[in-house]
Amino acid sequence: MGPAATLDFYAKLIAATPATREQDHLRVLIDSNPGVPDRNLALAGGAPSPEAAPGPVLADMARGLERAGADLLVMACNTAHAFEADIRRAVAIPFVSIITETADAVRREHPTARRVGLLAAAGCLEAGLYQRALAERGAEPVVAEGALRERFMTLLYRVKLGEVGQGARDEMRAIAEALIDQGAEVMVAACTEVPLVIGQEDLPVPLIDSSAVLARRAVALALAAD
Amino acid sequence: MGPAATLDFYAKLIAATPATREQDHLRVLIDSNPGVPDRNLALAGGAPSPEAAPGPVLADMARGLERAGADLLVMACNTAHAFEADIRRAVAIPFVSIITETADAVRREHPTARRVGLLAAAGCLEAGLYQRALAERGAEPVVAEGALRERFMTLLYRVKLGEVGQGARDEMRAIAEALIDQGAEVMVAACTEVPLVIGQEDLPVPLIDSSAVLARRAVALALAAD
């Protein structure tokens, strides 16, 4: 969805690939389509008009990638996973969920953590994607509510327009710290724009980057299928 | 071809796009295929075996992108432009040549420059791509020969494997300086791996980045077609 988040995911995919020559890299087909209707608007109460529904657009993109020869699909946008069912219905190839993989990584890497903070967009939170995945794994989500959620969304749209400097970093850190103050023992960058502005060095608790988790998993699955 | 060069090109494409919201960005379809047979080997004398010929693979990729809806094609690899005819024959949509655009940019930005240095791979030089394009525009190419060309190729394969630190930067700079000593008044990063290790700040003469030139041109053409 966001081109910068797609670029960041692609960089992580390359970095996660063991290669001793260029030809060892994976073949990667990218459909970077900023024309997918705004996911957060679509999920913000009320049925979106048919032209503003992301599901059919995402399904078309998935079909296009399958037709182009993709063996597996990933989507470097957490919120858009609210429309995962549309994608799965559209194709026969596997779709690897960033939500499932990230929740698994939280559990595997921090088996005793109870309270998990989510740096996630409003639509992702409203769809309950991570809340369900974490609850199924015995963890409790800590999420931004009210004004704090609005602050995240204001920041997210700034980051999407390329604002990734110190101001954005400080603001993202402040939002993360508010969730840590509410008891989060582990934080999840549950929006692929989050790692564009903060990293592990910015937080006093472990940070799981959903984008990096998905990249590593996609590489492992692609290499296993070879 | 090289994933890191493709990533760099994609970053330049995003940076070159005027956007006041995510939805203003271009739709970009990327086929990053490190399985394209080695272009330099294929161009190094002797007919390559049919399995090792890049042309048909590039033509297939072009057809795939056209079928997926692309309105114009670009290829972020200079050397692979030796097989441009295979691509053009395969599709009905326009193919924008990095060679033509970069030679045009050299002429436009440095109308009085006579001698133009080429930081280019052996296959690109052997195919004479830039030499012809520059000669047509009244400029004279300055290229690495013999041992200097071999040094470039050794470095190129290191960069393709992710070596982009100070050592690679110093070596690329030394090669560029050898061409400047031979009279180059303007340098061209005529290989998309070159800007991964050096930039304008590394050279005492102007540097034209073929990857950035192509990105800006692709954005301009895509927006003009809208």
Side-chain angles (χ1 to χ4, degrees), chain A residues 133-150:
Chain A
L134 289 172
E136 286 166 11
R137 290 161 182 82
E140 188 186 329
V142 180
V143 306
E145 305 284 359
L148 191 61
R149 188 176 297 191
E150 279 170 39

Side-chain angles (χ1 to χ4, degrees), chain B residues 192-211:
Chain B
T192 53
E193 267 88 13
V194 170
L196 304 180
V197 288
I198 61 165
Q200 182 59 68
E201 66 280 10
D202 293 297
L203 298 183
V205 302
L207 175 69
I208 304 279
D209 174 351
S210 61
S211 197

Side-chain angles (χ1 to χ4, degrees), chain A residues 1-4 6-7 10-11 14 19-39 61 64 67-68 160-161 193, chain B residues 1-4 6-7 10-11 14 19-39 61 64 67-68 160-161 193:
Chain A
M1 320 294 119
T6 302
L7 180 72
Y10 183 31
I14 295 171
T20 57
R21 44 184 208 127
E22 181 177 300
Q23 282 72 15
D24 292 337
H25 279 276
L26 300 174
R27 183 162 183 184
V28 182
L29 300 163
I30 300 175
D31 184 350
S32 178
N33 185 1
V36 177
D38 188 306
R39 286 72 62 198
M61 292 164 66
R67 209 162 37 225
K160 278 180 179 287
L161 288 182
E193 267 88 14
Chain B
M1 319 295 121
T6 303
L7 180 72
Y10 183 31
I14 295 170
T20 56
R21 45 182 209 130
E22 181 177 301
Q23 282 72 13
D24 292 337
H25 278 275
L26 300 174
R27 182 161 183 185
V28 181
L29 299 163
I30 300 175
D31 184 349
S32 178
N33 184 3
V36 177
D38 188 306
R39 286 73 61 200
M61 291 164 66
R67 211 161 36 225
K160 278 181 179 287
L161 289 181
E193 267 88 13

